[in-house]
Amino acid sequence: MPRVALYAGSFDPITNGHSDLIRRSLSFVDRLVVAVASNISKQTLFTPEERTDLIRAAVDNDPRVSVQHFQGLTVDFAKQAGVLMIIRGLRAASDFEYEYQMALMNRHLAPEMETVFMVPSLDTTYISSSLVREVARFHGDVSSLVHPSVEAALIKKFPKT
Ligand code: COA
Protein backbone atom coordinates (compact mmCIF):
# COMPACT_ATOMS: atom_id res chain seq x y z
CA MET A 1 0.00 0.00 0.00
CA PRO A 2 1.54 3.36 -0.95
CA ARG A 3 1.84 5.78 1.95
CA VAL A 4 0.05 9.04 1.18
CA ALA A 5 -0.20 12.24 3.23
CA LEU A 6 -1.99 15.53 2.89
CA TYR A 7 -0.46 18.96 3.45
CA ALA A 8 -3.09 21.70 3.57
CA GLY A 9 -2.62 25.43 3.71
CA SER A 10 -3.42 28.69 2.02
CA PHE A 11 0.00 28.85 0.29
CA ASP A 12 -0.39 32.52 -0.62
CA PRO A 13 2.23 32.04 -1.96
CA ILE A 14 4.22 28.85 -1.33
CA THR A 15 7.52 29.70 0.40
CA ASN A 16 10.79 27.83 0.88
CA GLY A 17 9.45 26.90 4.33
CA HIS A 18 6.56 24.99 2.76
CA SER A 19 8.90 23.43 0.18
CA ASP A 20 11.19 22.29 2.98
CA LEU A 21 8.28 20.45 4.64
CA ILE A 22 7.19 18.94 1.33
CA ARG A 23 10.71 17.68 0.69
CA ARG A 24 11.06 16.26 4.21
CA SER A 25 7.69 14.52 4.11
CA LEU A 26 8.63 12.81 0.83
CA SER A 27 11.33 10.97 2.76
CA PHE A 28 8.64 8.93 4.53
CA VAL A 29 5.59 9.03 2.23
CA ASP A 30 5.30 7.81 -1.34
CA ARG A 31 2.88 10.50 -2.40
CA LEU A 32 1.86 13.88 -1.04
CA VAL A 33 -1.37 15.72 -1.76
CA VAL A 34 -0.88 19.46 -1.33
CA ALA A 35 -4.31 20.90 -0.64
CA VAL A 36 -4.84 24.59 -1.33
CA ALA A 37 -7.64 25.96 0.83
CA SER A 38 -9.82 28.30 -1.18
CA ASN A 39 -12.54 29.27 1.28
CA ILE A 40 -10.35 30.60 4.04
CA SER A 41 -11.19 33.86 5.78
CA LYS A 42 -7.87 35.33 4.62
CA GLN A 43 -7.98 37.81 1.76
CA THR A 44 -5.51 36.24 -0.67
CA LEU A 45 -3.16 37.90 -3.13
CA PHE A 46 -3.13 34.94 -5.53
CA THR A 47 -6.18 33.07 -6.84
CA PRO A 48 -6.50 29.37 -5.98
CA GLU A 49 -5.41 28.55 -9.56
CA GLU A 50 -2.35 30.79 -9.31
CA ARG A 51 -1.42 29.30 -5.92
CA THR A 52 -1.82 25.80 -7.32
CA ASP A 53 0.35 26.56 -10.37
CA LEU A 54 3.05 28.15 -8.20
CA ILE A 55 3.19 25.07 -5.95
CA ARG A 56 3.58 22.81 -8.99
CA ALA A 57 6.43 25.02 -10.22
CA ALA A 58 8.06 25.17 -6.77
CA VAL A 59 8.17 21.36 -6.55
CA ASP A 60 9.47 21.17 -10.13
CA ASN A 61 6.38 19.16 -11.12
CA ASP A 62 7.52 16.26 -8.92
CA PRO A 63 5.21 13.36 -9.91
CA ARG A 64 4.96 12.31 -6.26
CA VAL A 65 3.21 15.59 -5.42
CA SER A 66 -0.33 16.32 -6.55
CA VAL A 67 -1.76 19.78 -5.97
CA GLN A 68 -5.49 20.43 -5.70
CA HIS A 69 -7.61 23.19 -4.28
CA PHE A 70 -10.52 22.47 -2.02
CA GLN A 71 -13.37 24.09 -0.13
CA GLY A 72 -14.74 23.03 3.22
CA LEU A 73 -13.07 20.99 5.91
CA THR A 74 -9.56 19.65 5.44
CA VAL A 75 -10.54 16.27 6.93
CA ASP A 76 -13.44 15.91 4.48
CA PHE A 77 -11.14 16.65 1.57
CA ALA A 78 -8.55 14.21 2.95
CA LYS A 79 -11.17 11.46 3.24
CA GLN A 80 -12.38 12.19 -0.28
CA ALA A 81 -8.79 11.89 -1.50
CA GLY A 82 -8.36 8.62 0.43
CA VAL A 83 -5.71 10.10 2.74
CA LEU A 84 -5.46 9.36 6.47
CA MET A 85 -2.34 11.33 7.38
CA ILE A 86 -2.13 15.11 7.72
CA ILE A 87 1.29 16.78 7.76
CA ARG A 88 1.85 19.95 9.79
CA GLY A 89 4.98 21.94 10.56
CA LEU A 90 5.87 23.29 13.99
CA ARG A 91 8.10 26.29 13.39
CA ALA A 92 8.23 27.57 16.95
CA ALA A 93 6.67 26.99 20.34
CA SER A 94 4.11 29.65 19.44
CA ASP A 95 2.74 27.41 16.68
CA PHE A 96 2.10 24.59 19.12
CA GLU A 97 -1.14 25.66 20.84
CA TYR A 98 -2.99 26.39 17.61
CA GLU A 99 -1.68 23.28 15.90
CA TYR A 100 -2.54 21.07 18.88
CA GLN A 101 -6.07 22.44 19.00
CA MET A 102 -6.53 21.98 15.26
CA ALA A 103 -5.17 18.41 15.37
CA LEU A 104 -7.58 17.52 18.18
CA MET A 105 -10.52 19.12 16.36
CA ASN A 106 -9.60 17.23 13.21
CA ARG A 107 -9.44 14.02 15.25
CA HIS A 108 -12.85 14.81 16.74
CA LEU A 109 -14.21 15.25 13.21
CA ALA A 110 -12.40 12.25 11.75
CA PRO A 111 -10.99 9.85 14.39
CA GLU A 112 -9.25 7.77 11.73
CA MET A 113 -7.14 10.78 10.65
CA GLU A 114 -3.64 11.10 12.12
CA THR A 115 -1.72 14.40 12.29
CA VAL A 116 2.06 14.19 11.96
CA PHE A 117 4.05 17.20 13.18
CA MET A 118 7.35 17.95 11.54
CA VAL A 119 10.25 20.21 12.50
CA PRO A 120 11.18 22.52 9.63
CA SER A 121 14.75 23.54 8.87
CA LEU A 122 15.96 26.28 11.19
CA ASP A 123 16.67 28.73 8.38
CA THR A 124 13.02 28.73 7.24
CA THR A 125 11.33 29.08 10.63
CA TYR A 126 10.92 32.86 10.34
CA ILE A 127 9.29 32.71 6.91
CA SER A 128 5.55 33.18 6.46
CA SER A 129 3.56 33.92 3.34
CA SER A 130 2.29 37.24 4.66
CA LEU A 131 5.82 38.47 5.47
CA VAL A 132 6.96 37.44 2.01
CA ARG A 133 4.04 39.34 0.46
CA GLU A 134 4.87 42.40 2.52
CA VAL A 135 8.54 42.36 1.56
CA ALA A 136 7.60 41.91 -2.12
CA ARG A 137 4.99 44.69 -1.96
CA PHE A 138 7.77 47.14 -1.04
CA HIS A 139 10.15 45.62 -3.60
CA GLY A 140 12.43 43.92 -1.08
CA ASP A 141 14.51 40.91 -2.09
CA VAL A 142 12.59 37.65 -1.65
CA SER A 143 14.91 35.52 -3.79
CA SER A 144 16.17 33.47 -0.85
CA LEU A 145 12.67 32.97 0.59
CA VAL A 146 10.74 31.61 -2.39
CA HIS A 147 11.19 29.63 -5.60
CA PRO A 148 12.23 31.78 -8.64
CA SER A 149 8.81 31.31 -10.26
CA VAL A 150 7.12 32.64 -7.10
CA GLU A 151 9.52 35.58 -7.03
CA ALA A 152 8.61 36.35 -10.66
CA ALA A 153 4.89 36.14 -9.87
CA LEU A 154 5.33 38.51 -6.92
CA ILE A 155 7.25 41.00 -9.05
CA LYS A 156 4.38 40.88 -11.57
CA LYS A 157 1.83 41.56 -8.82
CA PHE A 158 3.86 44.46 -7.45
CA PRO A 159 5.52 46.16 -10.44
CA LYS A 160 7.97 48.97 -9.66
CA THR A 161 6.21 51.24 -12.24
N1 COA B 1 7.19 27.36 6.50
C1 COA B 1 6.86 28.60 6.20
N2 COA B 1 5.67 29.14 6.46
C2 COA B 1 4.77 28.36 7.06
C3 COA B 1 5.04 27.05 7.41
C4 COA B 1 6.31 26.54 7.10
N3 COA B 1 6.67 25.29 7.40
N4 COA B 1 3.97 26.54 8.01
C5 COA B 1 3.05 27.51 8.03
N5 COA B 1 3.54 28.62 7.46
C6 COA B 1 2.90 29.92 7.35
C7 COA B 1 1.80 29.95 6.34
O1 COA B 1 2.26 30.40 5.09
C8 COA B 1 0.86 30.95 6.97
O2 COA B 1 1.32 32.24 6.66
P1 COA B 1 0.34 33.46 6.60
O3 COA B 1 -0.52 33.45 7.83
O4 COA B 1 1.26 34.57 6.54
O5 COA B 1 -0.47 33.23 5.36
C9 COA B 1 1.04 30.79 8.45
O6 COA B 1 2.30 30.21 8.60
C10 COA B 1 0.00 29.95 9.11
O7 COA B 1 -0.01 28.69 8.45
P2 COA B 1 -1.22 27.72 8.61
O8 COA B 1 -1.59 27.61 10.03
O9 COA B 1 -0.89 26.47 7.88
O10 COA B 1 -2.38 28.51 7.93
P3 COA B 1 -2.85 28.43 6.51
O11 COA B 1 -3.73 29.59 6.30
O12 COA B 1 -1.74 28.26 5.55
O13 COA B 1 -3.71 27.07 6.48
C11 COA B 1 -5.58 25.64 6.93
C12 COA B 1 -4.73 26.80 7.41
C13 COA B 1 -6.06 25.84 5.52
C14 COA B 1 -4.76 24.36 7.00
C15 COA B 1 -6.75 25.53 7.91
O14 COA B 1 -7.33 26.80 8.06
C16 COA B 1 -7.81 24.58 7.38
O15 COA B 1 -7.65 23.37 7.51
N6 COA B 1 -8.88 25.13 6.80
C17 COA B 1 -9.99 24.36 6.22
C18 COA B 1 -11.19 24.35 7.21
C19 COA B 1 -10.86 23.43 8.32
O16 COA B 1 -10.81 22.23 8.16
N7 COA B 1 -10.61 24.06 9.48
C20 COA B 1 -9.98 23.39 10.58
C21 COA B 1 -10.97 22.83 11.51
S1 COA B 1 -10.01 22.22 12.87
Side-chain angles (χ1 to χ4, degrees):
M1 276 279 282
R3 228 178 310 193
V4 190
L6 184 124
Y7 181 30
S10 45
F11 303 106
D12 186 39
I14 183 168
T15 67
N16 287 348
H18 298 122
S19 300
D20 170 65
L21 271 203
I22 292 173
R23 191 176 48 76
R24 286 176 194 284
S25 62
L26 286 170
S27 67
F28 64 89
V29 298
D30 303 302
R31 222 161 49 71
L32 185 71
V33 179
V34 179
V36 180
S38 45
N39 65 330
I40 37 172
S41 48
K42 291 177 179 175
Q43 178 110 29
T44 60
L45 173 67
F46 292 101
T47 65
E49 290 75 20
E50 287 173 325
R51 286 180 273 149
T52 301
D53 289 346
L54 289 174
I55 295 168
R56 290 205 179 104
V59 299
D60 297 321
N61 290 304
D62 188 323
R64 294 170 299 171
V65 180
S66 66
V67 190
Q68 294 170 47
H69 54 89
F70 76 102
Q71 299 204 332
L73 292 173
T74 297
V75 288
D76 287 343
F77 179 72
K79 277 196 263 185
Q80 222 178 297
V83 181
L84 294 174
M85 192 196 315
I86 293 175
I87 302 284
R88 299 293 296 167
L90 282 181
R91 288 168 299 168
S94 52
D95 278 349
F96 179 76
E97 211 165 320
Y98 167 69
E99 292 295 338
Y100 187 67
Q101 211 178 354
M102 192 153 73
L104 286 176
M105 180 58 81
N106 281 336
R107 180 178 287 165
H108 167 77
L109 295 167
E112 69 278 28
M113 205 67 65
E114 216 47 75
T115 300
V116 174
F117 290 114
M118 295 181 65
V119 179
S121 75
L122 201 56
D123 57 334
T124 62
T125 48
Y126 65 96
I127 306 176
S128 75
S129 299
S130 49
L131 279 182
V132 164
R133 289 197 304 275
E134 187 166 321
V135 172
R137 185 183 303 274
F138 298 108
H139 310 120
D141 180 9
V142 294
S143 60
S144 60
L145 310 174
V146 296
H147 188 270
S149 54
V150 176
E151 184 188 11
L154 284 165
I155 289 171
K156 223 164 144 186
K157 288 275 182 195
F158 302 117
K160 271 196 176 147
T161 61

